[in-house]
Amino acid sequence: VAAPDWGAMLLVDELFDKLAQQLVNDKEAAAWFARLRILVVRYAIKDYSFFFAQQNLLRRFLNQAYLTLLSNTEKSRLVHREMLNQFGKRILAEFDGDVGHVNSLCIEAQAWFAGQTEKVEQIEERLRVLETTRRREKVAEPRVVEELNRIAGGQRLPEEVIDFLHGEWRRSMLIMSMREGQEGADWKRQLRTAESLIELCKGCQDDTQRSKYRSFYQVFLRNVRALLVSVLDDADALNAAVEPLELVLSAMINGACPALQEVKPIPLARTQVIEAEVTRVSPKALEAIEQLSENDWLRLKTSDGRYELCKIVLKAQQDDPWVLVSQSGKTVAKKSAIQLAQALEG
């Protein structure tokens, strides 16, 4: 055996010995790699790029297989391990000393994994959007309630106006607040429009003031329609939301006096601490978790003692949960930084 080839054989042996040590608790994964040991030796002797080229096709396939086999839950077995077993068997059966055959199968395997990755990425994006929306809503909802109570709370208004403010208008304010924050131009327009609505209702109750509101009534309604973003893309829903308001305002401008009701403030949920729990976690473990970034991978231990390799899709601040998705996209975990640090400590 030539010296370079002997050195390659020893290097591959060392690599597989380390793999066996790392996978000692997963006999199935260890056996999968062990079956390919001789084949990889023969391949590497024929193509030394296996050792120094990261883009070597067999090397990339083995790296992907290692990451995949880090998950050993039933879900990952059904999706990924079955396909890995099929590709492994085909590589062993078709290798006749020609590395080209192995490379072709590795390309096929990469295409399959890429398809799975695309599906999971779509799931990740939907989860990222949903969780981001939830967090924005958590901040925006109290802001909307506070402003509506400030503008309309305690006022005497027709029932139709109250239903409009606390219904579709509130939903539109929530969307705008989440989209723009409290400094957004359209958010401020919504506040001014709501204030103008209250002013119009109060002014129309005074015979001496009623006439001045007729001049800007149509402009006001156009502003209302333009700012109802919750139904802006649905003409029927937009008309259904605005029609009762238009009818009662039109009647008031023309001298009608509908029954008035006092606007009760919208209750705002307030968190009251009734029980506290002390959670201890070492600063070192928490610091290690905080160093992680979105798109990094974590290996989580499941309740049945198995492991699931998960990607960090959304990293949160303070006590908000991080969103993690498994390789298959079938498992979603939400854990705070403290919970992850506790898991790291064991």
Side-chain angles (χ1 to χ4, degrees):
V1 178
D5 290 348
W6 181 249
M9 293 168 64
L10 293 177
L11 192 56
V12 172
D13 265 349
E14 183 179 354
L15 168 66
F16 275 85
D17 286 343
K18 288 183 177 179
L19 277 173
Q21 293 175 6
Q22 293 174 6
L23 299 172
V24 67
N25 294 321
D26 190 338
K27 294 181 179 179
E28 184 182 0
W32 188 89
F33 276 104
R35 285 195 296 270
L36 294 177
R37 187 170 190 149
I38 302 300
L39 180 143
V40 174
V41 170
R42 294 175 62 192
Y43 178 100
I45 291 173
K46 288 182 173 292
D47 185 355
Y48 280 2
S49 71
F50 176 83
F51 297 105
F52 57 80
Q54 293 183 355
Q55 297 304 312
N56 177 275
L57 292 169
L58 180 58
R59 177 172 169 173
R60 289 181 62 183
F61 172 67
L62 293 176
N63 286 340
Q64 180 66 60
Y66 177 75
L67 289 174
T68 300
L69 291 169
L70 286 176
S71 296
N72 63 356
T73 62
E74 286 303 317
K75 293 176 182 177
S76 66
R77 289 173 186 275
L78 291 173
V79 178
H80 291 105
R81 291 203 175 197
E82 180 61 31
M83 286 302 299
L84 276 176
N85 285 333
Q86 291 182 27
F87 282 120
K89 289 176 182 178
R90 289 177 61 190
I91 288 174
L92 286 169
E94 297 181 24
F95 182 60
D96 57 0
D98 184 357
V99 297
H101 289 163
V102 175
N103 288 341
S104 295
L105 285 172
C106 289
I107 291 173
E108 185 180 337
Q110 286 177 20
W112 184 85
F113 278 114
Q116 294 298 304
T117 300
E118 184 178 358
K119 294 177 185 177
V120 174
E121 285 176 348
Q122 292 173 356
I123 295 171
E124 291 171 1
E125 182 59 27
R126 288 198 294 270
L127 286 170
R128 188 180 293 109
V129 170
L130 286 172
E131 186 63 22
T132 301
T133 300
R134 185 194 68 80
R135 292 178 186 177
R136 288 179 179 173
E137 185 174 351
K138 185 178 178 181
V139 174
E141 175 65 15
R143 182 188 300 143
V144 170
V145 171
E146 182 180 350
E147 290 294 347
L148 281 174
N149 287 341
R150 176 184 65 82
I151 294 169
Q155 302 288 344
R156 293 186 60 79
L157 301 171
E159 182 181 359
E160 294 82 357
V161 175
I162 298 173
D163 290 344
F164 174 77
L165 285 172
H166 289 180
E168 211 61 64
W169 189 253
R170 176 180 175 179
R171 285 187 282 274
S172 293
M173 288 181 68
L174 179 61
I175 292 171
M176 195 66 74
S177 179
M178 291 166 58
R179 182 185 300 171
E180 296 189 351
Q182 59 185 0
E183 299 301 325
D186 286 332
W187 163 254
K188 291 180 178 179
R189 281 183 61 202
Q190 284 184 330
L191 295 182
R192 291 194 297 269
T193 301
E195 292 167 348
S196 296
L197 175 58
I198 304 303
E199 182 184 344
L200 187 150
C201 291
K202 292 172 65 177
C204 287
Q205 297 172 34
D206 186 340
D207 293 339
T208 62
Q209 299 290 323
R210 190 177 298 124
S211 60
K212 74 177 184 179
Y213 292 104
R214 292 195 180 100
S215 59
F216 81 92
Y217 173 62
Q218 295 300 327
V219 175
F220 169 77
L221 284 180
R222 284 198 295 272
N223 284 336
V224 168
R225 284 178 170 272
L227 293 170
L228 271 176
V229 292
S230 58
V231 289
L232 201 56
D233 296 329
D234 187 337
D236 292 337
L238 179 60
N239 290 330
V242 176
E243 186 176 355
L245 178 70
E246 289 183 346
L247 290 174
V248 72
L249 291 182
S250 178
M252 293 179 73
I253 284 178
N254 288 293
C257 297
L260 304 178
Q261 300 178 12
E262 182 176 338
V263 181
K264 297 180 180 179
I266 303 171
L268 182 61
R270 299 191 180 280
T271 303
Q272 183 177 1
V273 178
I274 58 175
E275 184 177 343
E277 180 180 345
V278 176
T279 302
R280 298 186 182 278
V281 61
S282 73
K284 184 177 180 180
L286 189 57
E287 182 181 0
I289 294 297
E290 292 292 356
Q291 293 298 317
L292 295 170
S293 304
E294 291 180 4
N295 296 321
D296 284 347
W297 291 86
L298 288 175
R299 194 176 187 221
L300 301 181
K301 190 173 184 178
T302 60
S303 57
D304 60 358
R306 298 183 181 277
Y307 292 92
E308 189 84 74
L309 192 65
C310 295
K311 183 195 286 187
I312 301 172
V313 175
L314 191 64
K315 181 178 178 178
Q317 300 295 324
Q318 299 177 346
D319 293 332
D320 283 336
W322 296 25
V323 180
L324 303 102
V325 179
S326 67
Q327 289 175 307
S328 63
K330 295 181 179 295
T331 300
V332 178
K334 292 186 177 182
K335 301 287 183 181
S336 69
I338 290 178
Q339 289 174 316
L340 291 172
Q342 287 179 309
L344 181 62
E345 290 183 312

